[in-house]
Amino acid sequence: PAVIGDPDFAIDALERFKESLHRKHREADYPYLLETISKKVCAHYYITIDELKKRGRKNSRSDARALFCYLSHIKELVPQSVIARYLGTTISPIAVLVRRDAAIDAAVFT
């Protein structure tokens, strides 16, 4: 397909897009990365890692899970399936938590 406009701009934009597709971390690093993120989130919300892994609705634990999912998936590009496995759940709730208002919490958190 043809691109209308400056071809250098289009090539530069495509290169930046390709860079964003690459994962930041190796798969072997996921457990350590998720553990590090969970410790930071738990310290912020004053909960334990076991409490973070428990299910809950409309409480600080669910807010912590939403922030954990947001930071893991959006900021660190960890696949949702890996996050789901870490939390002991399926991908569906992870996708919901990532989309939730965790972005606001993440801005305050970082």
Side-chain angles (χ1 to χ4, degrees):
V3 176
I4 298 173
D6 183 19
D8 292 333
F9 172 77
I11 290 170
D12 184 48
L14 186 60
E15 288 301 318
R16 280 187 276 131
F17 175 73
K18 285 181 183 178
E19 287 176 15
S20 71
L21 291 179
H22 296 296
R23 297 212 185 332
K24 287 183 172 181
H25 308 281
R26 295 178 309 144
E27 192 171 336
D29 297 333
Y30 289 154
Y32 174 75
L33 177 65
L34 292 175
E35 200 68 31
T36 303
I37 295 170
S38 65
K39 286 178 183 176
K40 289 180 182 178
V41 170
C42 288
H44 181 72
Y45 280 94
Y46 304 106
I47 61 173
T48 65
I49 292 177
D50 289 335
E51 289 175 320
L52 179 71
K53 292 182 178 183
K54 289 181 184 175
R55 295 178 182 165
R57 292 179 181 253
K58 303 288 183 196
N59 56 25
S60 64
R61 198 169 61 233
S62 65
D63 293 340
R65 284 171 68 100
L67 179 60
F68 172 78
C69 293
Y70 176 82
L71 292 174
S72 300
H73 184 65
I74 302 299
K75 297 292 185 184
E76 298 297 335
L77 303 178
V78 175
Q80 290 181 359
S81 60
V82 175
I83 299 168
R85 203 173 318 121
Y86 179 79
L87 292 177
T89 187
T90 60
I91 295 174
S92 224
I94 302 304
V96 171
L97 288 172
V98 167
R99 279 182 280 150
R100 218 173 110 194
D101 61 346
I104 296 167
D105 291 338
V108 172
F109 180 71
T110 54

